[in-house]
Amino acid sequence: MSTIFEQLATSVLEGQSDKTPTLVQKALDEGLSAKEILDNGLIVGMNEVGVRFKRGDMFVPEVLMSAEAMQAGLDVLRPLLAAGNVKMMGKVVLGTVKGDLHDIGKNLVGMMCEGAGFQVINLGFNVPPEKFVEAIKEHKPDIVGMSALLTTTMRAMGYTIKAIEEAGLRDSVKIIVGGAPVDEAFAQRIGADGYGANAPAAVDVCKQLIGAV
Ligand code: B1M
């Protein structure tokens, strides 16, 4: 008979959006804390999703299902985590840059970052540089993540970094970029601190950027 933590991890891994919140509630009813359920159940499942995705044993639709199951579980825990002042891994402000309407991959990055224990403020898509700047002032994140799917909108990442510099905020945040046309060389050229090729890689880079690994 598997433990409740194993059941939670498996439920995320298998993308069971109906079962995961029920299991989270069961674990709470058994007296486990929100932090234990997150760290020893949900995040364990999501970490395994990352490992399997990198290995080529899971594909985007399955990862999205797992991310949704994770979200459904987190929805039950979120008020408890907020009320209990549980220390999250760090705060990430995330958005798809100006002119770009693609947000599926960016949302996946956001969900996996949440799954890894980060607090994520998702600004949505078509986000102008000044909105990133405002969000940094308001939320004081550790990390700013930008996504672009078009060769024509990649340059907005550079403009956004410039705007963050001009606002005097560059030293207060780490910046990670990603999206299909983006690569490591481009990230370095525009002065980003990191590049994530896919959602699990983005989580790894975010952890590195805040010194968590
Ligand atoms: Co558009 N589109 N699209 N599109 N679209 C692409 C990107 C394109 C490659 C299709 C093609 O021609 N083969 C092409 C871009 C060509 C280029 O610039 N090189 C293209 C085009 C041209 C366009 C329009 C211009 C079409 C038109 O109107 N003529 C138009 C532009 C609109 C705009 O943005 N201004 C357009 C519109 C759209 C829709 C709105 C219809 C829709 C988006 C809906 C939505 O997102 N809500 C759409 C879609 C769905 C696609 C494709 C088919 C799929 C994108 C996707 O969601 N992939 C795409 C072709 C393709 O990729 N096969 C295409 C799945 C997703 C999980 O992957 O987004 O790559 P991806 O994210 C990955 C990684 O990139 C990475 O992690 C994710 C998970 O592993 N990642 C990050 C992403 N962000 C990251 C951030 C990080 C780190 C990693 O750190 C912060």
Side-chain angles (χ1 to χ4, degrees):
M1 180 65 191
S2 58
T3 67
I4 186 80
F5 291 134
E6 286 165 348
Q7 290 172 39
L8 281 159
T10 303
S11 178
V12 169
L13 188 57
E14 292 178 351
Q16 302 196 44
S17 293
D18 291 342
K19 194 173 166 192
T20 306
T22 311
L23 278 173
V24 168
Q25 192 55 56
K26 183 170 173 242
L28 288 169
D29 294 343
E30 286 177 11
L32 295 166
S33 73
K35 181 89 170 87
E36 285 173 311
I37 294 167
L38 183 64
D39 288 347
N40 304 332
L42 300 179
I43 289 180
V44 172
M46 210 57 192
N47 283 344
E48 181 60 23
V49 171
V51 170
R52 292 190 188 190
F53 181 70
K54 278 189 229 167
R55 213 165 54 205
D57 289 342
M58 271 181 97
F59 299 97
V60 167
E62 296 157 295
V63 176
L64 277 172
M65 283 172 73
S66 289
E68 277 161 20
M70 176 86 199
Q71 286 290 315
L74 276 176
D75 286 345
V76 180
L77 292 182
R78 200 169 283 116
L80 299 167
L81 291 169
N85 270 335
V86 172
K87 192 167 173 351
M88 300 298 279
M89 178 85 74
K91 204 187 279 183
V92 182
V93 157
L94 191 62
T96 302
V97 293
K98 185 174 179 181
D100 200 319
L101 306 180
H102 297 85
D103 69 350
I104 298 169
K106 180 264 297 171
N107 288 343
L108 186 51
V109 170
M111 287 191 253
M112 291 205 73
C113 280
E114 263 202 320
F118 286 92
Q119 183 186 350
V120 175
I121 291 122
N122 192 334
L123 303 179
F125 53 83
N126 191 20
V127 181
E130 56 275 16
K131 198 167 167 199
F132 277 102
V133 168
E134 278 166 31
I136 296 170
K137 288 181 183 162
E138 182 183 347
H139 299 289
K140 302 191 174 26
D142 305 284
I143 297 170
V144 172
M146 285 184 258
S147 178
L149 261 284
L150 300 173
T151 42
T152 47
T153 56
M154 286 164 74
R155 69 187 74 168
M157 292 176 155
Y159 300 147
T160 304
I161 293 180
K162 276 215 171 66
I164 294 170
E165 278 166 8
E166 281 165 14
L169 297 166
R170 182 65 185 90
D171 291 341
S172 69
V173 288
K174 298 288 184 190
I175 297 178
I176 171 176
V177 293
V182 178
D183 61 19
E184 185 78 55
F186 177 78
Q188 283 184 14
R189 208 157 58 238
I190 61 171
D193 299 301
Y195 157 72
N198 52 46
V203 171
D204 289 345
V205 172
C206 285
K207 286 182 183 168
Q208 283 160 18
L209 289 176
I210 60 159
V213 282

